[in-house]
Amino acid sequence: MPSRRSALTLLAGAGAALALGTPAAHARPTHPRPFGRYGSPSRRLDALTLYVDPHGRGDHTDVQSAVDAASGTGHTLVLAPGTYRGRVLVTAARAELTLIGASGDPRDTVVVHDTAAGTPKPDGSGTYGTSGSATVTVQAAGFTARDVTFANDWLRSDNPEYTGTQAVAIKVQGDRSAFYGCRFLGHQDTLYADSLALTSFARQYYRDCYVEGDVDFVFGRATAVYDRCYFRTLTRTDLASAPYGFVFAPSTAGANPRGYLVLRSRVTSTAPDAYYKLARPWVPSSDLTAHPMLTVRDSHLGAGIDAVTPYGTMSAGFPWQDQRFAEYRNTGPGARITVPGNRPQLTASEARAHTPADWLGDWRPHA
């Protein structure tokens, strides 16, 4: 099986001329119109549109410098095909920022870094921690991304001495954050769908996205809708037996009536059958009043999900049975109800309140 870095190279597509160990700016440009239908610096769509190209044909060659230049509200960054290696921080001051992968294929435009929670900081002050490992951190409200891959290609196999193996591809904290046709690649803690504070109920929407990983690779306290998304669990060579991990680990605040909603989606696996759990609740030490919530409905659960015991418990004293977990009309071998007590089901009446409109209120990115 290819390593994370070689797999990313393959996923990026031949047109991007990638070698993830080599700066993309040194590769030969292969796209005569790197920004596609979105104009160019000489044919700018509007004053708020900036162009990013690793080969120097845009306003900037890296994503962070473009974000820094997009001061104020409502900017659009058009990313030419390529690999953009480095961290990206979108602060709260850059509201309504949009990132667009110009080719329309997220495999062509990859934003990636390789830091884990246990990676030592250069200044010797400790390690980065889970949040600090994120390749991309989004604090701004109204953030939108289309056709971009967000990845963390740090590998356990390269660092067997590490105990902090969380490696976040993206941490999303802003309200009204939307992702369309994006890919999120990592292993542990790939997609951190969170909020800025315990009392902040950030709404997020993911449509036609792809997420892969192994341990708790979709996690956090956001109010998040995953609509027509594809989740893939990965084989682990460091473990000899099940379970390899968990797809979802919500940490919904107790006061928040809405956690994670997964609908019209599918879960597949490269691991043996029944080696993955669907979810476990995360009650972090910073919020012992958390009441994790997850609804999975109208989705296909592949054989990689343990149908007999699909849920697990992360911390003693917070069993999954006490959380807000539910399913409705799921299909596939991983959705078989063999032990009814282990598969809490919504009634048809209850399911009518578990919809994107109910989750997201007056914000309609799904319309």
Side-chain angles (χ1 to χ4, degrees), residues 174-189:
D175 186 35
R176 295 180 292 105
S177 299
F179 297 81
Y180 303 93
C182 290
R183 296 167 67 85
F184 306 92
L185 308 182
H187 286 276
Q188 183 172 355
D189 292 6

Side-chain angles (χ1 to χ4, degrees), residues 258 297 328 346-359:
R258 300 290 181 265
R297 60 170 301 173
Y328 183 67
L346 297 174
T347 66
S349 175
E350 290 170 335
R352 285 194 285 272
H354 290 243
T355 66
D358 188 69
W359 248 244

Side-chain angles (χ1 to χ4, degrees), residues 31 135 326:
H31 290 262
T135 297

Side-chain angles (χ1 to χ4, degrees), residues 107-194:
R107 294 172 297 180
D108 289 339
T109 305
V110 181
V111 183
V112 61
H113 201 59
D114 58 351
T115 300
T119 301
K121 294 181 179 179
D123 62 5
S125 62
T127 58
Y128 281 98
T130 299
S131 292
S133 75
T135 297
V136 176
T137 300
V138 178
Q139 299 170 343
F143 178 85
T144 300
R146 296 181 182 273
D147 304 321
V148 176
T149 292
F150 302 93
N152 191 321
D153 63 356
W154 183 90
L155 294 170
R156 293 189 193 94
S157 58
D158 291 347
N159 302 275
E161 74 281 8
Y162 279 38
T163 55
T165 57
Q166 301 89 343
V168 177
I170 188 168
K171 181 176 183 178
V172 187
Q173 298 176 283
D175 186 35
R176 295 180 292 105
S177 299
F179 297 81
Y180 303 93
C182 290
R183 296 167 67 85
F184 306 92
L185 308 182
H187 286 276
Q188 183 172 355
D189 292 6
T190 304
L191 172 55
Y192 196 170
D194 205 50

Side-chain angles (χ1 to χ4, degrees), residues 64 67-68 70 72 88-97 137-141 143 196:
Q64 186 63 65
V67 170
D68 292 343
V88 177
L89 170 63
V90 181
T91 64
R94 285 156 174 80
E96 312 298 333
L97 182 71
T137 300
V138 178
Q139 299 170 343
F143 178 85
L196 286 169

Side-chain angles (χ1 to χ4, degrees), residues 250 252-254 256 279-283 288-294 311-326 341-342 344:
T252 321
N256 189 350
R280 63 178 177 175
W282 177 31
V283 179
L288 296 180
T289 65
H291 194 193
M293 181 180 189
L294 167 71
Y311 301 104
T313 294
M314 185 181 299
S315 303
F318 303 100
W320 74 263
Q321 293 90 342
D322 291 348
Q323 313 310 322
R324 295 175 284 177
F325 285 4
N342 290 344

